[in-house]
Amino acid sequence: MATENRYPETENQEKQTPFHGDLLDKIVSHIPTIHLVPSFYVSKSWQRAVFSCVGNPSRSKPWLIIYVQSRRNLSSTTTHAYDPSSNVWMKITGPSNVTYTSPLRSSHSDTLYMLSPSKFSLSSDPLHEMWLDVVGPRVWRTDPIVAIVGSCIVVAGGTCDFEDDPFTVELYDTACPGWFTCQPIHNIPKDSAASIWLSVAVSDHKMYLLEKNSGTFCSFDPSTKTWSGDIGSFDLRPDPAIYFSVIGFVGGRLILVGLMGDPENAESLRIWEVNCDRFNCEEVGKMPREMLDMLKNENSTLLSIDISVAENFIYIYNSSELRDIFFCDLSARVRQWSSVQCTFLNDRVLMDRFVFTCSKVNLDNLRKASWVGSKKFKVELAETVLIQ
């Protein structure tokens, strides 16, 4: 049975292409990752060169994706992605099948969701092409914690003022569809039972919560629908000088990022690895002083930070003063710190909402999203900005 040739006139293209072997590999290595998809279809030799390029560890750095949404018109949402491997910002248009009926939100770095009284929408693939739509939770919430743990979606806290219990937790199991009520949140102050005050990190089996200001730390097990025991809730503060902290999973490790000093005089930003069995901490990184100063606002204060993490990469930013993004590769023995300016903000309204996700984007993700003839995803080349 004859096989259809996916590469028309491949033999002629191979003869006409003056670049081969190491020279072609060198050329392809300078092409931004987002543009490797059309390069993949040039010829078989280009296909081999593209595969070789994306297999290079230097191309495996996770992207930071920022959604900018108008508060007045939710459908006015633009998407900007930063690829650290190519050192480039891109303006992209996302899937056309998404209707923004409620504000877009993010949770534990790789998940987007929208919540209304009747509908709950969730997406966790790298470029957020696929969405799961289910009926909304039984309890209406304005600012909940949301996490995906295995096949379970956990929605906790964030209830309206008139609700009796602000610590209510509900679980949706995709393997057995339906909402289940779980044990309420433990040992978190009533006024802090919302995502604005809580940092969330997710492993394969548990969800971890950290109260950003006090350092109160606890975990939730979806299999038992319960929170950690009496000894499982405590202050996760390896240094008493920490006044604000957040958590995330980097390369399978739970990490803690803390600001030291006080908001009027932030002395340092440090990173610890947390042992999930004994919960002792080991310092693994410290932000250079000049970058810490850039994080501060015009009054030289620093109230809070946000992070987005994937693989061994951590992005750090001040979402209330979004000018620069800082990132660190924790896989290197000597920590490698870099930064990039948010050049796309020049024409944005200050009241817009910024939503962040972080994921490793590979060639297969890009090929599916930018399949020839598809209108679901495109890159506006005119808006592509190379960072010099």
Side-chain angles (χ1 to χ4, degrees):
M1 180 177 177
T3 303
E4 181 181 355
N5 185 4
R6 292 180 60 193
Y7 306 97
E9 303 178 0
T10 296
E11 293 183 0
N12 291 335
Q13 289 174 338
E14 294 288 350
K15 293 179 181 179
Q16 296 172 5
T17 301
F19 308 115
H20 299 280
D22 293 341
L23 178 58
L24 181 56
D25 289 345
K26 187 69 173 178
I27 293 172
V28 172
S29 70
H30 289 283
I31 299 176
T33 305
I34 194 69
H35 300 317
L36 288 177
V37 174
S39 303
F40 181 85
Y41 295 102
V42 173
S43 67
K44 287 186 177 180
S45 61
W46 277 78
Q47 182 185 22
R48 288 191 293 269
V50 169
F51 272 128
S52 175
C53 178
V54 297
N56 190 313
S58 65
R59 287 279 184 166
S60 64
K61 298 175 182 178
W63 289 17
L64 179 70
I65 303 177
I66 305 178
Y67 297 83
V68 185
Q69 187 174 56
S70 170
R71 295 180 186 271
R72 296 182 177 180
N73 180 12
L74 298 181
S75 61
S76 178
T77 301
T78 59
T79 309
H80 305 264
Y82 176 68
D83 174 14
S85 301
S86 307
N87 201 25
V88 60
W89 278 109
M90 297 153 284
K91 181 179 180 181
I92 60 179
T93 57
S96 59
N97 59 340
V98 175
T99 301
Y100 297 103
T101 56
S102 56
L104 191 65
R105 300 179 185 273
S106 63
S107 178
H108 61 88
S109 297
D110 65 353
T111 302
L112 287 178
Y113 71 92
M114 292 180 285
L115 180 63
S116 69
S118 60
K119 183 179 177 181
F120 181 70
S121 301
L122 190 81
S123 175
S124 60
D125 62 290
L127 293 175
H128 303 289
E129 284 286 306
M130 302 173 61
W131 285 78
L132 171 68
D133 296 325
V134 300
V135 64
R138 299 167 183 171
V139 177
W140 169 237
R141 308 159 190 275
T142 57
D143 185 26
I145 300 100
V146 174
I148 302 177
V149 188
S151 64
C152 298
I153 302 168
V154 182
V155 181
T159 59
C160 296
D161 292 338
F162 59 80
E163 291 292 343
D164 293 334
D165 188 359
F167 305 108
T168 300
V169 178
E170 293 179 86
L171 180 149
Y172 186 93
D173 191 343
T174 56
C176 183
W179 288 101
F180 302 90
T181 302
C182 306
Q183 184 182 29
I185 300 175
H186 270 190
N187 301 325
I188 295 291
K190 180 177 180 180
D191 295 337
S192 298
S195 68
I196 191 173
W197 306 110
L198 296 173
S199 179
V200 59
V202 174
S203 69
D204 293 336
H205 308 291
K206 288 186 178 183
M207 176 183 77
Y208 298 89
L209 285 186
L210 176 76
E211 209 281 329
K212 298 176 182 178
N213 292 296
S214 68
T216 302
F217 178 81
C218 56
S219 64
F220 177 79
D221 187 343
S223 64
T224 61
K225 300 182 178 63
T226 59
W227 292 85
S228 48
D230 294 336
I231 63 172
S233 182
F234 54 89
D235 290 347
L236 188 64
R237 282 189 172 183
D239 192 308
I242 297 175
Y243 69 88
F244 185 91
S245 56
V246 289
I247 54 175
F249 268 93
V250 177
R253 301 171 294 169
L254 180 63
I255 59 104
L256 172 76
V257 182
L259 289 172
M260 315 278 287
D262 61 70
E264 302 296 327
N265 182 28
E267 298 175 354
S268 66
L269 182 149
R270 303 190 183 191
I271 304 172
W272 291 267
E273 181 178 343
V274 183
N275 184 301
C276 289
D277 295 322
R278 299 184 300 272
F279 297 107
N280 57 314
C281 301
E282 177 186 358
E283 186 174 330
V284 295
K286 180 180 179 180
M287 175 178 277
R289 181 70 198 193
E290 59 272 19
M291 290 187 177
L292 179 64
D293 292 338
M294 293 169 66
L295 263 177
K296 299 176 181 179
N297 62 23
E298 295 179 353
N299 298 320
S300 297
T301 61
L302 184 56
L303 298 175
S304 64
I305 55 168
D306 297 286
I307 64 171
S308 292
V309 300
E311 300 287 322
N312 286 298
F313 231 65
I314 176 169
Y315 290 94
I316 303 173
Y317 44 90
N318 182 355
S319 55
S320 63
E321 296 281 341
L322 192 60
R323 298 183 302 267
D324 299 275
I325 306 290
F326 306 90
F327 48 96
C328 179
D329 185 353
L330 293 179
S331 64
R333 177 171 297 181
V334 178
R335 306 307 180 200
Q336 299 176 354
W337 289 87
S338 301
S339 65
V340 61
Q341 287 187 331
C342 297
T343 53
F344 59 87
L345 292 179
N346 294 335
D347 59 347
R348 299 304 309 189
V349 179
L350 293 178
M351 292 302 292
D352 286 345
R353 300 177 64 254
F354 298 95
V355 184
F356 302 80
T357 63
C358 177
S359 296
K360 182 178 178 179
V361 179
N362 58 35
L363 184 64
D364 191 48
N365 299 138
L366 293 172
R367 287 176 62 196
K368 289 179 180 178
S370 59
W371 191 256
V372 177
S374 171
K375 296 182 179 180
K376 293 189 299 179
F377 178 96
K378 70 177 182 177
V379 180
E380 296 186 7
L381 301 181
E383 295 293 334
T384 301
V385 181
L386 289 172
I387 310 299
Q388 302 296 330

